[in-house]
Amino acid sequence: MTLAPPGPWQRWDLHPSVVIGLVLLGGLYVSLGGLRARPRRVASFAAALVVLFLALNGPLHNLSDSYLFSARNSTTSAAANDSYLFSAHMVQHLVLTLVFPPLLLYGTPAWVVRPLLGPPAVFRVARWATRPLIAGVIFSAPITLWHFPRFYEAALEHHALHIVQHLVFLATAVIMWWPVLSPVPELPRASYLAQLLYLFALGLPMSLAGALITLADGVLYPFYVAAPRVWEGLAPLADQQLGGLLMWVVGTIYLWGAASVVWFRWSVREERGDADGAVPLEAYGNAEFGMRNAERRGPGSNTETT
């Protein structure tokens, strides 16, 4: 009796490019002294690496992307058992843009970021790009355009372009979260009021794109019509509607949930009698004081003050 090959949700396929990228990112963090940060920040950075690993390897990646390869090799027995879900792909994109970047930024101390901002040209571009309005556009425009059928289908058909799509999502999402979770006061976080307005406004383009996908009369991406189904009861249109709802509802609620956290932090400061809406230095993990102390003690003493 021949056992059926495991389904895409049962396999743990590792992608060397992802593993190498994570090792390089973690190595850069260690080499720049990231492990000297407070334990909760180191844990946050480690969680970011784990989240990225799980999003781009294993079952979620297989359900999202495995059919990209099986469609071009449909004669193989393994390919016949691969599948592809728009809704799984949407979950992957939400993890890449809404879960990974906040963990990364919160877990990265100021002294790890500063050397990367050293060149004046880099600092000028970063200062411009991390302003709330600019950062919001840098994130919202690509993620909206990539969901237009022509661009989305192109990413599905061409693996190299699909990698570029993920890199664009990751880079623009880090920029998007910067006004809320900047690790360095030189590129400051927005005021609490500005953060509230910013996070609320960010949910609008995502809501619009998700609503248009959910309420479409037909399948917007023909690629999914030909894709093998994981569950026969989940037709391509239903799968598309589920993915659209994830983007429309879950993505928007996530951003507005982050806005609620900002509001509570602002409320606590007001109760303490601090009417200033600016984010205090201690919110950066005492980054400024840590920098001054490190300068006095030398580069080997980069630590956050308690």
Side-chain angles (χ1 to χ4, degrees):
M1 179 178 178
T2 303
L3 295 177
W9 63 91
Q10 298 172 309
R11 298 199 314 267
W12 272 97
D13 300 328
L14 296 181
H15 300 273
S17 60
V18 175
V19 175
I20 292 172
L22 291 173
V23 169
L24 291 176
L25 183 59
L28 180 64
Y29 183 84
V30 172
S31 67
L32 293 176
L35 295 181
R36 298 187 180 96
R38 293 177 179 177
R40 68 171 181 266
R41 291 185 179 271
V42 176
S44 179
F45 183 86
L49 297 185
V50 171
V51 164
L52 194 58
F53 176 84
L54 295 176
L56 297 177
N57 293 282
L60 180 58
H61 179 78
N62 291 338
L63 287 171
S64 301
D65 298 345
S66 64
Y67 188 71
L68 289 172
F69 307 102
S70 67
R72 292 191 291 271
N73 300 280
S74 58
T75 58
T76 65
S77 59
N81 292 281
D82 276 338
S83 54
Y84 194 72
L85 290 175
F86 176 78
S87 53
H89 207 186
M90 189 60 65
V91 171
Q92 186 184 52
H93 288 174
L94 291 176
V95 170
L96 295 179
T97 57
L98 300 183
V99 181
F100 168 75
L103 291 171
L104 178 76
L105 288 175
Y106 182 76
T108 305
W111 60 80
V112 171
V113 178
R114 285 194 177 104
L116 306 179
L117 300 174
V122 173
F123 181 79
R124 285 195 298 270
V125 171
R127 190 176 182 86
W128 171 81
T130 55
R131 295 173 180 172
L133 179 60
I134 303 299
V137 172
I138 287 174
F139 171 73
S140 299
I143 201 169
T144 301
L145 289 174
W146 273 114
H147 286 89
F148 276 64
R150 180 183 296 273
F151 301 128
Y152 196 93
E153 287 271 307
L156 293 176
E157 295 287 353
H158 304 285
H159 182 53
L161 186 59
H162 193 240
I163 293 175
V164 170
Q165 181 192 58
H166 281 178
L167 292 175
V168 167
F169 285 172
L170 288 169
T172 59
V174 169
I175 294 172
M176 179 269 283
W177 282 101
W178 200 279
V180 180
L181 288 169
S182 168
V184 288
E186 294 93 324
L187 300 178
R189 302 179 188 184
S191 67
Y192 287 116
L193 177 58
Q195 288 184 35
L196 286 174
L197 297 175
Y198 175 70
L199 289 169
F200 178 80
L202 277 174
L204 299 179
M206 188 172 290
S207 296
L208 178 60
L212 291 175
I213 292 171
T214 303
L215 301 176
D217 293 331
V219 176
L220 297 174
Y221 313 109
F223 191 92
Y224 292 103
V225 176
R229 312 311 301 167
V230 179
W231 299 286
E232 292 298 329
L234 188 63
L237 181 58
D239 178 34
Q240 177 178 288
Q241 291 169 339
L242 177 58
L245 281 173
L246 288 170
M247 186 178 188
W248 182 5
V249 178
V250 176
T252 304
I253 289 177
Y254 191 95
L255 289 171
W256 291 354
S260 299
V261 173
V262 171
W263 184 83
F264 281 115
R265 287 182 175 176
W266 190 16
S267 299
V268 169
R269 286 183 58 80
E270 287 192 330
E271 289 177 1
R272 293 174 180 171
D274 189 352
D276 188 2
V279 176
L281 272 179
E282 56 264 27
Y284 298 90
N286 288 327
E288 187 66 26
F289 302 113
M291 177 186 68
R292 292 173 182 169
N293 292 335
E295 288 173 350
R296 295 192 191 103
R297 295 191 297 266
S301 301
N302 284 334
T303 57
E304 287 181 308
T305 59
T306 56

